[in-house]
Amino acid sequence: MKCIIEGKNVKVFGRAVQALSRVGDELWLDPSGKGLALRSVSSAQSAYACFIFSPLFFQQYSLGCAPKQSSETVKCKLLMKSLLPLFRCLTSIERNVERCQISVSASSDWVIIQFFCRHGITKTHNLRFQEKEALQAEFASHLCRNVLKAPARLLGDVVMHFPPFQEEITLSTTPLRLSLRNYDDSSESKMKRMFTEMSLHPDEFEYFQVDVDSTITFCLKELRGFLSFTESHCLPVSVHFDSAGKPVCFSVEDMLFEATVVLATLIEPESTDSIQPAGTQVHATSRY
């Protein structure tokens, strides 16, 4: 596989890597005819994220010649700590990098990333990878009874009001309103911490379908990275969810790329007498 990213798209690619670094410590690189997919899953499998860049996103996109079937491509897993430093300073990339070339060879275990910079400077990075089947989350968004669509800026402004150390937030919906509040299961700490809650009217959304009242709690860290990416492109974010204990999915779609993050939600105990699991997992499996 060989692809060339030109101009400002290098910064877009870097933002995706940064968003995925908030999810997991490993990144799956999955080239196919549909484009180049970047995927990551948290160690607890409570969060999964995927960015798929269309061939139109690249100046050049080629899968190369596979040894057995033309549809075969190398699917590899990289350590995030080896990839993230290359895209950490996006301002410098935008100012100095003219294009970026990424190539993967089936005959080697290296991903080669080259930055072609101003004044004829070329920076080459060789990252060792482990060949793995592509990662895929098992989530049927079309079965969700609640569907929202809102500008990324709206969701970003709401999330900004929660402190950086906030780990989880609770989203509650009825056909008449949506509210977000900080979640804390410790009654003692509630007396010491600031409680934040924000409410939104359905008119503030581009699409608002709530067929069942829901209250779900999910991690905020992974969502922050996703919203940071979508805000920079001013894209509307679709949200699919159901009841507590079932995953919630945030997604955006454009001609050049699509992005999805799936987060597990906590199961709220119905009473003090019943004991239920603290949360659920996002089922991320290898796709054969």
Side-chain angles (χ1 to χ4, degrees):
M1 187 278 295
K2 176 182 176 182
C3 64
I4 297 177
I5 311 170
E6 190 174 26
K8 294 182 179 180
N9 282 351
V10 180
K11 184 177 180 180
V12 176
F13 191 87
R15 285 188 183 275
V17 173
Q18 289 185 353
L20 288 166
S21 70
R22 290 175 173 257
V23 176
D25 297 327
E26 297 170 326
L27 181 141
W28 277 257
L29 199 66
D30 179 15
S32 69
K34 295 174 59 178
L36 179 62
L38 309 181
R39 297 184 171 96
S40 188
V41 64
S42 65
S43 58
Q45 290 200 336
S46 60
Y48 163 87
C50 174
F51 289 77
I52 301 178
F53 293 95
S54 160
L56 297 175
F57 176 82
F58 304 94
Q59 181 186 18
Q60 178 183 334
Y61 182 78
S62 174
L63 295 178
C65 298
K68 296 181 181 179
Q69 300 178 359
S70 58
S71 61
E72 286 188 4
T73 55
V74 177
K75 299 175 177 61
C76 50
K77 182 176 71 172
L78 297 167
L79 291 177
M80 190 67 73
K81 66 180 181 180
S82 64
L83 180 64
L84 181 60
L86 309 187
F87 296 95
R88 190 178 299 278
C89 186
L90 297 180
T91 302
S92 176
I93 287 177
E94 185 178 32
R95 185 170 55 247
N96 299 313
V97 177
E98 297 178 346
R99 68 183 187 278
C100 172
Q101 177 176 300
I102 304 174
S103 56
V104 184
S105 173
S107 60
S108 68
D109 56 354
W110 295 95
V111 174
I112 302 173
I113 300 178
Q114 291 180 295
F115 293 100
F116 297 90
C117 307
R118 297 175 58 188
H119 310 300
I121 298 174
T122 301
K123 299 179 180 179
T124 302
H125 305 271
N126 297 295
L127 308 181
R128 188 177 296 275
F129 72 85
Q130 183 178 4
E131 188 164 355
K132 289 285 185 179
E133 290 299 327
L135 192 71
Q136 183 66 54
E138 299 176 359
F139 180 77
S141 60
H142 65 281
L143 298 179
C144 293
R145 292 175 289 178
N146 297 334
V147 182
L148 312 175
K149 193 171 187 178
R153 176 70 65 181
L154 173 65
L155 298 179
D157 289 345
V158 171
V159 168
M160 183 180 63
H161 287 84
F162 295 94
F165 57 79
Q166 183 66 45
E167 296 183 358
E168 292 147 341
I169 58 173
T170 297
L171 182 151
S172 299
T173 54
T174 70
L176 299 178
R177 66 190 291 269
L178 176 145
S179 67
L180 283 164
R181 64 180 185 272
N182 49 341
Y183 173 84
D184 197 330
D185 59 357
S186 172
S187 57
E188 180 180 353
S189 61
K190 284 181 181 179
M191 302 296 293
K192 301 177 181 179
R193 288 190 180 183
M194 179 179 66
F195 182 79
T196 303
E197 182 171 6
M198 300 189 65
S199 296
L200 299 174
H201 191 272
D203 290 344
E204 299 185 67
F205 294 81
E206 296 182 11
Y207 184 79
F208 193 92
Q209 173 191 310
V210 176
D211 291 341
V212 57
D213 294 358
S214 298
T215 298
I216 57 174
T217 300
F218 50 88
C219 290
L220 185 56
K221 173 187 173 183
E222 294 84 355
L223 181 58
R224 287 188 192 274
F226 175 81
L227 291 179
S228 176
F229 177 89
T230 56
E231 277 190 82
S232 63
H233 299 282
C234 302
L235 294 173
V237 178
S238 297
V239 189
H240 294 77
F241 61 100
D242 215 304
S243 56
K246 296 182 180 180
V248 56
C249 175
F250 297 82
S251 62
V252 295
E253 189 172 351
D254 185 69
M255 288 184 59
L256 300 181
F257 59 82
E258 58 184 84
T260 302
V261 59
V262 183
L263 306 174
T265 64
L266 296 181
I267 299 177
E268 299 293 345
E270 297 178 354
S271 68
T272 56
D273 296 330
S274 62
I275 300 177
Q276 299 188 37
T280 58
Q281 289 184 327
V282 175
H283 296 287
T285 59
S286 296
R287 176 168 56 83
Y288 296 92

